[in-house]
Amino acid sequence: MKILVIGSGGREHALVWKLAQSPHAARMWCAPGNAGIAQERLAKNGVLVECVPMSAEGLPALLDFAKRELPDLTVVGPDNSLAAGIVDLFQQHGLKIWGPNRKAAQFEASKAFSQDFMERHGIPTAKSGTFSEPAAAKKFAASLGGRCAVKADGLALGKGVLLTTSVAEAESAVDEIMVGKAFGAAGQRVVIQELLEGMEISLHAICDGKVAKLFPTSQDHKRALDGDAGLNTGGMGAYSPAPFLTDAQLAEVGDAILQPWLRGCAADGIDFRGLIYPGVMLTKSGPKVLEFNARFGDPETQAYLTRLENDLVELLVASVDGTLGGVELRWAANASVCVVMASGGYPGDYAKGKPITGIDAADALPGTKVFHAGTALKDGQVVTNGGRVLGVTAWRSTLAEARTAAYAAVEKIRFEGAHIRRDIAAKALDC
Ligand code: AMP
Ligand code: GLY
C-alpha cells in the first residue's frame, strides 16, 4: 500500500514509525514531516519515507498531491486539518482517508458543540455554560464563585483555557478572551466550566462509526515546569499505563463516557471514524469529561504506539471501513514513558536552528526511540525547529524502569537551551 501521513510533530513521527513496521506499507510520504520522519525506512522493502514540503493545512495542494500519487490510505494527525474538512474533501475525490469528517471533528473544533452534546446525551462533565456576551459569561462565572475554567470555543493550539479561582480573575479571563481577543476568533464564544479537582488522565478510543475500542490509560503533563507549575504547553511528557484506575475501573469509566457518546453520535447523525480522545478528571464524585479531542494526543501517541502490538495499517483501515468490531486491540504488558525535550523559553518565544547531538546514541539504546517533533536538517545536521523538539521514549516491563531508561536516553542528547521536566510519570510512582 501507498500511505500519506499529514503532519509534522512527535505524534506524526510515532504514527509513521509504527505504520512503517507494517508489511502492508510499500511506499510512504509525510507532509510536511520532520528530520526524524525523513530517516524512517519501511520494514517491507527498506525504502525511506519521503517528506514532502506541503503544509498540513494547505488542503488544495494536499489534494493535488494525492490525486497525482494516489495513496491507498491517508492518515491525518493534526486537529486543524480535520476541522478544515480534509476528510470530506479527500472522500469527495474517492480517496481513502483516516480521521473524522468535518462534522465529527467538531468535538474538538468547538467546545460549545461538545458541551451541548455531552449535556444532551448524559455524558458526565463539569457544570457549564456557553456565552457569546461577556456580561452573561461573568454572571455565570460569579455564580460559580469565580472557580472556573474559562475556555475559548474554537481551536487555539491547546492554549485557549484559563483557570481562575476568584470572581475578579474569572472576569478578567472573560475580558481577555472575548474583548481582548487573546485567541482571536476562537474566543467569539466562551464555555465556562466549574473548576474540577482530581487526577487528570487521557483516554483514547479508536472508532469506526459504530464501535469504539478503548486504549489503556495514559497521562500527559501539560504545564511547562516540574510540579505542574508554569504555563500550559502542548504536553511535556506522557506515559502509559497510568495506574490510577484498575482495568475494571477503566472499563467502567470508558463505558460511562463512550456508550452515551456512541448513542449520541448515532442520534445526531455523526459518523465518527477516527480517534476520540476525552480528557477526563477523576473527581471525588466520579469521572468527568473536560474536553474532547478528535485525534491522537501528542505526546500520548508516542507512549501508546510503542506498546501497541496490532498492525497500525490494519487498525486504521478497519476504522475507515467500519470493521473494528472484529478487531481486538493488543498491548504489550509493559509501560512506556515519553520525555519531551523542548526549546528554552517554550511555550513563549524560543530560538530555532540550534544543532542537536546525541540522538543516534540515544536511539541505539535498547527499547528506546527518539521521536522528532520540531526538528529540521540544515547542512546535514539535525537542528531545532520548534517549541517541542524531541520526544524521548523508552519502554520496559515496569513504569519505574521505563522512566529511568527515558531519562538515561535524554542525558545523551544535547542542544543549547534544552528544557525538560524532571518529573514525568512521577505521580504514578508516588501513588
Ligand atoms: P482543555 O483544553 O479543555 O483540556 O483544557 C486544558 C487544561 O485545563 C486541561 O488539560 C486541564 O488541566 C485544565 N482544565 C480544563 N477544564 C478544567 C476544569 N473544568 N477544571 C479543572 N481544570 C480544567
Ligand atoms: N496531549 C495533549 C494534546 O494532544 O492535546
Side-chain angles (χ1 to χ4, degrees):
M1 281 172 68
K2 297 186 284 183
I3 301 172
L4 168 63
V5 178
I6 313 270
S8 62
R11 164 184 53 211
E12 285 77 17
H13 190 181
L15 287 167
V16 164
W17 173 80
K18 183 70 184 167
L19 291 166
Q21 291 168 27
S22 167
H24 299 290
R27 185 158 186 207
M28 201 179 298
W29 304 271
C30 188
N34 60 37
I37 290 172
Q39 292 169 35
E40 293 296 337
R41 290 182 184 277
L42 306 182
K44 183 185 177 80
N45 53 20
V47 167
L48 275 171
V49 174
E50 298 160 60
C51 287
V52 276
M54 293 186 296
S55 157
E57 287 159 38
L59 270 46
L62 291 168
L63 178 65
D64 280 350
F65 179 84
K67 279 170 41 185
R68 205 165 54 243
E69 300 290 353
L70 298 175
D72 301 291
L73 177 69
T74 297
V75 177
V76 189
D79 51 7
N80 286 342
S81 318
L82 294 166
I86 190 169
V87 170
D88 313 58
L89 181 68
F90 273 44
Q91 283 173 345
Q92 281 155 18
H93 289 84
L95 294 157
K96 186 176 234 172
I97 180 164
W98 180 82
N101 60 28
R102 190 177 189 156
K103 184 173 182 186
Q106 284 181 96
F107 279 108
E108 178 157 9
S110 168
K111 290 186 191 286
F113 171 91
S114 271
Q115 204 64 38
D116 170 63
F117 182 95
M118 287 195 275
E119 278 157 28
R120 284 188 299 109
H121 296 296
I123 296 171
T125 182
K127 186 173 167 192
S128 81
T130 298
F131 305 94
S132 34
E133 296 298 333
K138 288 179 187 174
K139 196 168 162 199
F140 182 73
S143 78
L144 297 173
R147 294 184 57 76
C148 316
V150 183
K151 307 186 174 191
D153 172 41
L155 293 177
L157 296 171
K159 292 177 188 164
V161 177
L162 302 174
L163 305 180
T164 66
T165 53
S166 70
V167 173
E169 267 177 33
E171 289 187 347
S172 64
V174 169
D175 283 337
E176 206 177 307
I177 296 178
M178 301 190 87
V179 184
K181 305 213 180 331
F183 309 110
Q188 268 162 4
R189 285 194 296 180
V190 292
V191 171
I192 298 185
Q193 291 178 336
E194 65 178 316
L195 194 66
L196 295 176
E197 281 169 31
M199 185 63 84
E200 190 178 343
I201 58 167
S202 300
L203 296 185
H204 278 51
I206 186 161
C207 310
D208 69 354
K210 303 182 291 286
V211 175
K213 298 264 173 172
L214 187 62
F215 285 20
T217 46
S218 66
Q219 188 174 50
D220 188 10
H221 298 67
K222 291 200 173 149
R223 302 297 193 97
L225 306 175
D226 287 6
D228 294 329
L231 295 172
N232 255 327
T233 70
M236 291 297 296
Y239 64 96
S240 171
F244 311 110
L245 295 174
T246 62
D247 287 351
Q249 287 168 327
L250 172 63
E252 235 173 76
V253 171
D255 278 350
I257 295 168
L258 292 173
Q259 293 313 320
W261 180 79
L262 283 168
R263 282 196 298 273
C265 284
D268 292 359
I270 297 169
D271 186 11
F272 194 106
R273 297 173 194 233
L275 200 293
I276 188 79
Y277 155 13
V280 175
M281 193 75 94
L282 302 174
T283 74
K284 282 199 191 108
S285 50
K288 300 204 168 151
V289 176
L290 300 177
E291 61 155 1
F292 282 112
N293 300 298
R295 50 161 177 90
F296 274 102
D298 189 345
E300 289 92 330
T301 304
Q302 293 83 315
Y304 277 133
L305 295 187
T306 48
R307 300 188 60 213
L308 181 69
E309 290 180 341
N310 297 69
D311 180 312
L312 186 60
V313 174
E314 290 176 8
L315 199 57
L316 300 187
V317 166
S319 167
V320 179
D321 287 351
T323 56
L324 265 183
V327 177
E328 187 200 346
L329 293 185
R330 287 174 285 108
W331 301 93
N334 64 2
S336 181
V337 174
C338 170
V339 177
V340 169
M341 298 184 76
S343 296
Y346 173 77
D349 292 341
Y350 52 82
K352 290 186 182 178
K354 304 288 180 194
I356 310 173
T357 59
I359 295 177
D360 290 347
D363 257 337
L365 296 169
T368 305
K369 176 72 190 172
V370 180
F371 293 112
H372 292 227
T375 66
L377 262 186
K378 196 170 144 197
D379 306 327
Q381 162 77 50
V382 178
V383 299
T384 66
N385 194 39
R388 292 189 291 175
V389 176
L390 300 169
V392 183
T393 309
W395 54 99
R396 295 288 185 280
S397 41
T398 67
L399 192 60
E401 289 166 329
R403 179 169 191 265
T404 304
Y407 279 108
V410 164
E411 286 306 319
K412 301 217 172 276
I413 301 174
R414 295 268 184 277
F415 59 89
E416 193 186 312
H419 166 64
I420 57 164
R421 272 182 65 162
R422 288 263 160 216
D423 63 347
I424 303 305
K427 280 193 211 98
L429 298 171
D430 291 345
C431 80

PDB file of all heavy atoms in Angstrom, residues 78-93:
ATOM      1  N   PRO A  78      -3.079  16.174  12.695  1.00  0.00           N
ATOM      2  CA  PRO A  78      -3.461  17.378  13.438  1.00  0.00           C
ATOM      3  C   PRO A  78      -4.934  17.773  13.372  1.00  0.00           C
ATOM      4  O   PRO A  78      -5.628  17.514  12.368  1.00  0.00           O
ATOM      5  CB  PRO A  78      -2.622  18.498  12.782  1.00  0.00           C
ATOM      6  CG  PRO A  78      -1.892  17.890  11.644  1.00  0.00           C
ATOM      7  CD  PRO A  78      -2.369  16.493  11.447  1.00  0.00           C
ATOM      8  N   ASP A  79      -5.373  18.457  14.420  1.00  0.00           N
ATOM      9  CA  ASP A  79      -6.769  18.898  14.525  1.00  0.00           C
ATOM     10  C   ASP A  79      -7.155  19.929  13.459  1.00  0.00           C
ATOM     11  O   ASP A  79      -8.269  19.890  12.937  1.00  0.00           O
ATOM     12  CB  ASP A  79      -7.061  19.453  15.928  1.00  0.00           C
ATOM     13  CG  ASP A  79      -6.055  20.498  16.390  1.00  0.00           C
ATOM     14  OD1 ASP A  79      -5.199  20.910  15.597  1.00  0.00           O
ATOM     15  OD2 ASP A  79      -6.128  20.906  17.563  1.00  0.00           O
ATOM     16  N   ASN A  80      -6.237  20.841  13.122  1.00  0.00           N
ATOM     17  CA  ASN A  80      -6.614  21.914  12.183  1.00  0.00           C
ATOM     18  C   ASN A  80      -7.027  21.365  10.824  1.00  0.00           C
ATOM     19  O   ASN A  80      -8.000  21.830  10.227  1.00  0.00           O
ATOM     20  CB  ASN A  80      -5.440  22.881  11.957  1.00  0.00           C
ATOM     21  CG  ASN A  80      -5.234  23.778  13.160  1.00  0.00           C
ATOM     22  OD1 ASN A  80      -6.134  23.913  13.980  1.00  0.00           O
ATOM     23  ND2 ASN A  80      -4.059  24.360  13.274  1.00  0.00           N
ATOM     24  N   SER A  81      -6.275  20.382  10.338  1.00  0.00           N
ATOM     25  CA  SER A  81      -6.598  19.817   9.021  1.00  0.00           C
ATOM     26  C   SER A  81      -7.967  19.140   9.066  1.00  0.00           C
ATOM     27  O   SER A  81      -8.748  19.218   8.112  1.00  0.00           O
ATOM     28  CB  SER A  81      -5.537  18.789   8.605  1.00  0.00           C
ATOM     29  OG  SER A  81      -4.248  19.240   8.924  1.00  0.00           O
ATOM     30  N   LEU A  82      -8.265  18.476  10.179  1.00  0.00           N
ATOM     31  CA  LEU A  82      -9.560  17.793  10.320  1.00  0.00           C
ATOM     32  C   LEU A  82     -10.691  18.810  10.377  1.00  0.00           C
ATOM     33  O   LEU A  82     -11.715  18.664   9.699  1.00  0.00           O
ATOM     34  CB  LEU A  82      -9.566  16.934  11.593  1.00  0.00           C
ATOM     35  CG  LEU A  82      -8.591  15.756  11.578  1.00  0.00           C
ATOM     36  CD1 LEU A  82      -8.424  15.178  12.982  1.00  0.00           C
ATOM     37  CD2 LEU A  82      -9.070  14.672  10.614  1.00  0.00           C
ATOM     38  N   ALA A  83     -10.477  19.868  11.191  1.00  0.00           N
ATOM     39  CA  ALA A  83     -11.526  20.890  11.335  1.00  0.00           C
ATOM     40  C   ALA A  83     -11.773  21.598  10.007  1.00  0.00           C
ATOM     41  O   ALA A  83     -12.895  22.041   9.728  1.00  0.00           O
ATOM     42  CB  ALA A  83     -11.123  21.895  12.410  1.00  0.00           C
ATOM     43  N   ALA A  84     -10.735  21.680   9.176  1.00  0.00           N
ATOM     44  CA  ALA A  84     -10.890  22.347   7.875  1.00  0.00           C
ATOM     45  C   ALA A  84     -11.587  21.445   6.855  1.00  0.00           C
ATOM     46  O   ALA A  84     -11.898  21.883   5.743  1.00  0.00           O
ATOM     47  CB  ALA A  84      -9.522  22.780   7.350  1.00  0.00           C
ATOM     48  N   GLY A  85     -11.815  20.180   7.213  1.00  0.00           N
ATOM     49  CA  GLY A  85     -12.595  19.311   6.334  1.00  0.00           C
ATOM     50  C   GLY A  85     -11.763  18.510   5.336  1.00  0.00           C
ATOM     51  O   GLY A  85     -12.250  18.137   4.266  1.00  0.00           O
ATOM     52  N   ILE A  86     -10.514  18.179   5.703  1.00  0.00           N
ATOM     53  CA  ILE A  86      -9.672  17.418   4.756  1.00  0.00           C
ATOM     54  C   ILE A  86     -10.286  16.057   4.438  1.00  0.00           C
ATOM     55  O   ILE A  86     -10.182  15.566   3.307  1.00  0.00           O
ATOM     56  CB  ILE A  86      -8.227  17.275   5.295  1.00  0.00           C
ATOM     57  CG1 ILE A  86      -7.328  16.706   4.196  1.00  0.00           C
ATOM     58  CG2 ILE A  86      -8.158  16.421   6.550  1.00  0.00           C
ATOM     59  CD1 ILE A  86      -5.850  16.759   4.504  1.00  0.00           C
ATOM     60  N   VAL A  87     -10.968  15.465   5.423  1.00  0.00           N
ATOM     61  CA  VAL A  87     -11.524  14.119   5.215  1.00  0.00           C
ATOM     62  C   VAL A  87     -12.658  14.178   4.183  1.00  0.00           C
ATOM     63  O   VAL A  87     -12.707  13.379   3.241  1.00  0.00           O
ATOM     64  CB  VAL A  87     -11.981  13.522   6.563  1.00  0.00           C
ATOM     65  CG1 VAL A  87     -12.774  12.236   6.361  1.00  0.00           C
ATOM     66  CG2 VAL A  87     -10.747  13.266   7.442  1.00  0.00           C
ATOM     67  N   ASP A  88     -13.544  15.156   4.357  1.00  0.00           N
ATOM     68  CA  ASP A  88     -14.660  15.308   3.403  1.00  0.00           C
ATOM     69  C   ASP A  88     -14.106  15.547   1.989  1.00  0.00           C
ATOM     70  O   ASP A  88     -14.589  14.968   1.017  1.00  0.00           O
ATOM     71  CB  ASP A  88     -15.532  16.499   3.811  1.00  0.00           C
ATOM     72  CG  ASP A  88     -15.864  16.482   5.292  1.00  0.00           C
ATOM     73  OD1 ASP A  88     -14.918  16.492   6.113  1.00  0.00           O
ATOM     74  OD2 ASP A  88     -17.038  16.433   5.633  1.00  0.00           O
ATOM     75  N   LEU A  89     -13.085  16.415   1.899  1.00  0.00           N
ATOM     76  CA  LEU A  89     -12.520  16.772   0.596  1.00  0.00           C
ATOM     77  C   LEU A  89     -11.916  15.543  -0.096  1.00  0.00           C
ATOM     78  O   LEU A  89     -12.200  15.281  -1.280  1.00  0.00           O
ATOM     79  CB  LEU A  89     -11.440  17.854   0.794  1.00  0.00           C
ATOM     80  CG  LEU A  89     -10.769  18.370  -0.463  1.00  0.00           C
ATOM     81  CD1 LEU A  89     -11.771  19.164  -1.305  1.00  0.00           C
ATOM     82  CD2 LEU A  89      -9.563  19.263  -0.110  1.00  0.00           C
ATOM     83  N   PHE A  90     -11.103  14.779   0.628  1.00  0.00           N
ATOM     84  CA  PHE A  90     -10.485  13.600   0.015  1.00  0.00           C
ATOM     85  C   PHE A  90     -11.555  12.583  -0.376  1.00  0.00           C
ATOM     86  O   PHE A  90     -11.485  11.969  -1.435  1.00  0.00           O
ATOM     87  CB  PHE A  90      -9.452  12.985   0.976  1.00  0.00           C
ATOM     88  CG  PHE A  90      -8.074  13.584   0.871  1.00  0.00           C
ATOM     89  CD1 PHE A  90      -7.885  14.962   0.787  1.00  0.00           C
ATOM     90  CD2 PHE A  90      -6.935  12.765   0.851  1.00  0.00           C
ATOM     91  CE1 PHE A  90      -6.610  15.517   0.690  1.00  0.00           C
ATOM     92  CE2 PHE A  90      -5.663  13.307   0.746  1.00  0.00           C
ATOM     93  CZ  PHE A  90      -5.495  14.678   0.671  1.00  0.00           C
ATOM     94  N   GLN A  91     -12.553  12.417   0.502  1.00  0.00           N
ATOM     95  CA  GLN A  91     -13.608  11.438   0.192  1.00  0.00           C
ATOM     96  C   GLN A  91     -14.384  11.835  -1.064  1.00  0.00           C
ATOM     97  O   GLN A  91     -14.741  10.989  -1.877  1.00  0.00           O
ATOM     98  CB  GLN A  91     -14.569  11.301   1.385  1.00  0.00           C
ATOM     99  CG  GLN A  91     -13.969  10.447   2.494  1.00  0.00           C
ATOM    100  CD  GLN A  91     -14.806  10.429   3.759  1.00  0.00           C
ATOM    101  OE1 GLN A  91     -15.701  11.251   3.938  1.00  0.00           O
ATOM    102  NE2 GLN A  91     -14.501   9.494   4.648  1.00  0.00           N
ATOM    103  N   GLN A  92     -14.609  13.153  -1.218  1.00  0.00           N
ATOM    104  CA  GLN A  92     -15.319  13.607  -2.428  1.00  0.00           C
ATOM    105  C   GLN A  92     -14.561  13.213  -3.690  1.00  0.00           C
ATOM    106  O   GLN A  92     -15.140  13.098  -4.756  1.00  0.00           O
ATOM    107  CB  GLN A  92     -15.481  15.129  -2.411  1.00  0.00           C
ATOM    108  CG  GLN A  92     -16.618  15.618  -1.533  1.00  0.00           C
ATOM    109  CD  GLN A  92     -16.398  17.053  -1.053  1.00  0.00           C
ATOM    110  OE1 GLN A  92     -15.596  17.797  -1.620  1.00  0.00           O
ATOM    111  NE2 GLN A  92     -17.081  17.424   0.003  1.00  0.00           N
ATOM    112  N   HIS A  93     -13.240  13.051  -3.562  1.00  0.00           N
ATOM    113  CA  HIS A  93     -12.435  12.670  -4.723  1.00  0.00           C
ATOM    114  C   HIS A  93     -12.092  11.184  -4.715  1.00  0.00           C
ATOM    115  O   HIS A  93     -11.148  10.753  -5.386  1.00  0.00           O
ATOM    116  CB  HIS A  93     -11.174  13.531  -4.790  1.00  0.00           C
ATOM    117  CG  HIS A  93     -11.492  14.953  -5.169  1.00  0.00           C
ATOM    118  ND1 HIS A  93     -11.896  15.898  -4.258  1.00  0.00           N
ATOM    119  CD2 HIS A  93     -11.537  15.563  -6.378  1.00  0.00           C
ATOM    120  CE1 HIS A  93     -12.139  17.038  -4.867  1.00  0.00           C
ATOM    121  NE2 HIS A  93     -11.937  16.869  -6.158  1.00  0.00           N
TER     122      HIS A  93
END
